[in-house]
């Protein structure tokens, strides 16, 4: 009987012929799935874990070149907390006069206040690498000259001249903030995180710098702190300047003139001046209140609180208003006064300083953000250097005021000076709130 094809078999299409030029068929399961099938149904199945999205700081340092220029900047910024302490220890130990040491460092501070804005203007106009490197070389030569003058017992006037020569030191923190502003222009959240990190770095360097300087001067020789600081400054600026891909372009034809002419900038600088008085008075009064080797550790708690608050503040999506942060600073700065007047305990004051320091970084971050908004394009470094200059002036005034109150009244009463200075900053910001973005 002849065989006939079934209907469904007759409709089946012929199988394609496999030739060397035919496309390859890839199975939809991978090697792991194939191994699982071979092992049996009871074999465990691997699960792919999803990576958590990076946080604000992870995204910040994912920017190409950010880690490199930050490393150089941190190396260059650490000596900022070393030079004055090293100079005082070195000069006082050699000449036996703290008055001379204080006068020399005060002269250097005054020279820096005059020279720094001009250096910053040159940096904005001709570029960071082109100006910062020779300016740093001059400052390092000034530090080495001071070291040699002290070492070989040169006349006192040479100490003033040598330390004044260090005023050409560029504002490395300002240059770093200018790079962040250039890299993240149009992204307020990223810029807020960057400013928070920079403020935390400031607090960390000013917390570690004096400790490192005092250790080097005591463990090695009196000039070791100044010498180490000069080397770190030069190396850090060279590393920082070598990162040309992140450097903001120079603005040689800045027609806006000085950032001082920007609306709201004079009032903002008054706020920074009063804020600097808070820092200067708090330092002198705490040194007088503790009056012992524990004073450095107690002051470090304030910087530690500010550093921690700065890092936490950077994770917030947006900055608070300047009036809000100044209000918090005024309130928290009253805690050391209450602790000193109410208990007289060093431990209570130390805890109060830790809490008071937590208002510092948010206030500075918000203030620097406002500076960047007010400063014309191409003059960011100059604008931030003016803010730092106002801070330095306030620190000097606060130190003098706090010292006077401590000497004529009491150390506990001296804690009223930073409270009053913070209240002045709040009042100025409140009266000019319409001018401050």
């Amino acid at each position: 009987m002849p065989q006939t094809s079934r209907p469904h078999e007759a409709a089946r299409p012929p199988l394609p012929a496999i030739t060397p030029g035919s496309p390859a068929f890839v199975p939809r399961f991978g090697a792991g799935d194939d191994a699982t099938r071979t092992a049996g149904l009871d074999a465990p199945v691997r699960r792919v874990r999803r990576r958590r999205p990076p946080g604000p700081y992870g995204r910040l340092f994912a920017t190409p070149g950010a880690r490199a220029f930050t490393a150089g900047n941190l190396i260059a910024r650490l000596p900022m907390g070393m030079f004055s302490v090293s100079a005082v220890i070195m000069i006082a130990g050699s000449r036996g006069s703290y008055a001379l040491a204080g006068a020399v460092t005060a002269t250097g501070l005054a020279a820096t206040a005059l020279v720094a804005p001009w250096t910053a203007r040159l940096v904005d106009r001709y570029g960071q690498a082109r100006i910062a490197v020779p300016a740093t070389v001059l400052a390092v030569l000034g530090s080495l000259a001071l070291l040699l003058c002290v070492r070989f017992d040169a006349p006192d006037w040479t100490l003033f001249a040598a330390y004044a020569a260090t005023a050409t030191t560029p504002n490395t923190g300002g240059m770093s903030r200018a790079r962040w502003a250039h890299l993240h222009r149009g992204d307020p959240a990223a810029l807020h995180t960057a400013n928070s990190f920079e403020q935390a770095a400031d607090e960390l360097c000013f917390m570690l710098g004096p400790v490192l300087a005092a250790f080097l001067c005591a463990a090695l020789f009196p000039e070791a702190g100044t010498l180490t600081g000069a080397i770190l400054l030069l190396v850090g600026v060279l590393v920082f300047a070598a990162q040309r891909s992140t450097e903001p372009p120079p603005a040689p034809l800045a027609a806006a003139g000085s950032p001082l002419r920007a609306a709201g900038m004079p009032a903002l600088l008054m706020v920074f001046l009063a804020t600097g008085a808070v820092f200067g008075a708090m330092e002198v009064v705490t040194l007088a209140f503790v009056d012992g080797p524990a004073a450095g550790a107690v002051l470090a708690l304030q910087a530690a609180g500010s550093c921690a608050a700065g890092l936490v503040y950077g994770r917030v999506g947006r900055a608070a208003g300047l009036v809000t942060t100044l209000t918090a600073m005024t309130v928290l700065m009253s805690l050391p006064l209450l602790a000193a007047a109410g208990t007289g305990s060093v431990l209570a004051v130390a805890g109060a300083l830790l809490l008071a320091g937590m208002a510092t970084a948010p206030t500075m971050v918000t203030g620097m953000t406002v500076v960047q908004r007010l400063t014309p394009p191409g003059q960011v470094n100059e604008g931030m250097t003016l803010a730092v200059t106002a801070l330095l002036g306030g620190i000097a005034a606060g130190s003098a005021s706090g010292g006077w109150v401590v000497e004529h009244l009491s150390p506990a009463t001296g804690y009223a000076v930073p409270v009053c200075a913070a209240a002045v900053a709040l009042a100025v910001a409140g009266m000019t709130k319409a001018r401050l973005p």
Side-chain angles (χ1 to χ4, degrees):
M1 185 176 179
Q3 296 181 354
T4 58
S5 301
R6 296 180 182 179
H8 63 276
E9 291 182 352
R12 181 182 300 170
L15 296 174
I18 305 299
T19 63
S22 302
F25 294 92
V26 181
R28 290 190 297 175
F29 50 86
D33 296 324
D34 190 27
T36 302
R37 292 187 181 191
T38 304
L41 296 177
D42 294 335
V45 179
R46 295 180 180 178
R47 295 181 180 180
V48 179
R49 294 182 179 180
R50 294 183 178 180
R51 292 183 177 181
R52 297 179 61 182
Y57 290 105
R59 293 192 296 270
L60 186 69
F61 288 103
T63 306
R67 296 182 181 182
F69 84 74
T70 299
N73 183 262
L74 291 177
I75 296 173
R77 201 184 302 189
L78 180 61
M80 297 300 103
M82 298 176 60
F83 282 130
S84 61
V85 174
S86 299
V88 169
I89 295 175
M90 181 174 61
I91 296 172
S94 174
R95 305 297 170 93
S97 173
Y98 278 98
L100 176 62
V104 170
T105 55
T107 300
L109 182 63
T112 301
L114 293 175
V115 175
W118 293 99
T119 304
R121 176 173 292 188
L122 293 175
V123 167
D124 286 331
R125 182 166 298 180
Y126 298 104
Q128 293 184 354
R130 189 174 178 182
I131 299 300
V133 173
T136 300
V137 171
L138 290 176
V140 168
L141 291 176
S143 295
L144 296 179
L146 176 67
L147 185 153
L148 294 175
C149 290
V150 173
R151 185 72 174 178
F152 294 102
D153 200 21
D156 290 349
W157 67 266
T158 61
L159 307 183
F160 291 91
Y163 203 67
T166 64
T168 60
T169 304
N171 180 11
T172 52
M175 290 192 298
S176 183
R177 288 178 173 91
R179 293 201 179 205
W180 290 121
H182 169 66
L183 294 173
H184 297 287
R185 54 190 181 277
D187 189 349
L191 191 57
H192 168 69
T193 302
N195 286 334
S196 299
F197 169 79
E198 291 297 326
Q199 186 60 39
D202 279 339
E203 299 294 342
L204 182 64
C205 291
F206 278 100
M207 180 173 59
L208 298 179
V211 176
L212 178 60
F215 171 77
L216 291 173
C217 293
L220 300 179
F221 48 92
E223 300 85 1
T226 299
L227 180 61
T228 303
I231 294 173
L232 289 175
L233 176 62
L234 182 60
V235 171
V237 170
L238 289 176
V239 173
F240 179 83
Q243 315 307 316
R244 304 300 292 270
S245 62
T246 56
E247 181 179 350
L253 299 177
S258 173
L260 283 171
R261 301 179 181 178
M265 182 63 78
L268 183 60
L269 293 181
M270 289 297 297
V271 172
F272 274 98
L273 184 68
T275 304
V278 174
F279 305 151
M282 188 68 76
E283 180 177 357
V284 170
V285 173
T286 300
L287 290 174
F289 183 84
V290 179
D291 192 22
V298 173
L299 281 174
L301 286 176
Q302 181 184 358
S306 180
C307 180
L311 293 175
V312 173
Y313 192 57
R315 299 185 65 87
V316 181
R318 56 186 296 272
L322 185 58
V323 173
T324 301
T325 56
L326 286 171
T327 302
M329 185 173 72
T330 304
V331 172
L332 291 179
M333 285 297 164
S334 65
L335 296 180
L337 174 62
L338 296 175
T343 67
S345 169
V346 173
L347 290 178
V349 171
L353 285 173
L354 178 65
L355 295 176
M358 293 181 180
T360 302
T363 301
M364 293 300 301
V365 170
T366 305
M368 285 297 182
T369 303
V370 177
V371 170
Q372 293 172 7
R373 293 175 184 172
L374 294 178
T375 304
Q379 296 178 294
V380 175
N381 190 63
E382 183 180 357
M384 286 187 290
T385 302
L386 287 173
V388 172
T389 301
L391 276 174
L392 293 177
I395 289 173
S399 299
S401 301
W404 188 92
V405 173
V406 165
E407 184 174 348
H408 290 82
L409 298 177
S410 69
T413 308
Y415 280 112
V417 177
V419 179
C420 294
V424 170
L426 175 60
V428 173
M431 289 186 295
T432 59
K433 185 177 181 180
R435 302 180 184 178
L436 302 178

